[in-house]
Amino acid sequence: MHAVALLKAKTLPNVGPIAVLTGDERHLKRAAFERLAKDLLGDDEESLGLTRFQGDEAELKTVCDELLTVSMWGDRRLVMIDGADKFVSQYRDGLEKYLGHPAKKSVLVLDVKTWPKTTRLAKLVAKIGLDVECSTLSGAELIRWLIDSARSEFGKTLPRDAAALMHELAGDDLGLL
């Protein structure tokens, strides 16, 4: 599923015990993560059910302990690993083993740049989790995203010509647009 479709969806699809945000578009990754966090943990911005790790510093044992810990203040746990490419490479077997018997009330979110669909881990995620593609938008997709974002986030109508001019002047960076 592409991040744009996730953000437009009225209800969140079944996330399961793992969600993977893959691609290079930081704005879409941030928006997709915020949507996941809001739907899973509620509107509390400083939720006690959220834990974040840096992928180059995280250890599998610590992450699994966090996923398996029952929260006293909420019924869900969300564990995010930012820049998880190194983490996934290093702990691929352990992640597959964890996903064989995951915690019922926890969701692991991996933020990766690349996610080869041919690995056992990717196939397992496709079966029991949520794979969100956060790739760069271009052409008509980008213009449509600008128009939809203006309407949904700001309640404004952005004509197609104006959206095309914005794209021409500012480039492809969704955060800037």
Side-chain angles (χ1 to χ4, degrees):
M1 161 179 274
H2 198 276
V4 173
L6 176 78
L7 296 172
K8 283 184 181 179
K10 299 279 187 218
T11 60
L12 194 65
N14 184 22
V15 177
I18 187 167
V20 178
L21 307 176
T22 180
D24 290 329
E25 184 53 59
R26 296 298 313 159
H27 181 77
L28 288 178
K29 281 185 176 182
R30 184 184 50 76
F33 176 73
E34 288 174 358
R35 172 72 192 270
L36 288 170
K38 181 181 178 200
D39 285 11
L40 296 172
L41 299 176
D43 289 328
D44 186 14
E45 285 186 26
E46 303 215 4
S47 176
L48 297 173
L50 173 62
T51 305
R52 292 183 90 119
F53 293 100
Q54 288 299 320
D56 54 352
E57 300 171 1
E59 294 183 13
L60 183 63
K61 182 184 182 326
T62 307
V63 171
C64 286
D65 285 347
E66 199 64 40
L67 288 165
L68 296 169
T69 301
V70 177
S71 177
M72 291 174 41
W73 293 279
D75 62 339
R76 299 297 303 252
R77 303 273 303 155
L78 189 62
V79 177
M80 171 71 166
I81 302 180
D82 294 299
D85 290 287
K86 181 180 175 185
F87 179 82
V88 170
S89 296
Q90 188 172 0
Y91 299 113
R92 185 175 306 276
D93 292 337
L95 287 168
E96 290 170 3
K97 185 177 177 184
Y98 166 75
L99 290 175
H101 301 287
K104 301 271 190 250
K105 299 279 186 170
S106 297
V107 177
L108 174 63
V109 180
L110 300 173
D111 172 2
V112 295
K113 288 190 188 260
T114 60
W115 187 250
K117 305 285 188 208
T118 57
T119 64
R120 280 191 318 237
L121 184 58
K123 291 176 184 175
L124 189 57
V125 168
K127 184 190 274 186
I128 66 169
L130 181 63
D131 184 3
V132 181
E133 181 186 343
C134 301
S135 58
T136 305
L137 301 177
S138 61
E141 288 179 314
L142 180 61
I143 303 300
R144 195 172 320 114
W145 177 83
L146 275 170
I147 293 168
D148 291 345
S149 294
R151 184 180 320 109
S152 65
E153 291 182 37
F154 305 106
K156 302 293 180 186
T157 301
L158 182 64
R160 182 169 294 284
D161 294 343
L165 181 61
M166 284 177 64
H167 173 242
E168 182 180 325
L169 294 174
D172 292 339
D173 184 0
L174 297 186
L176 180 61
L177 289 169

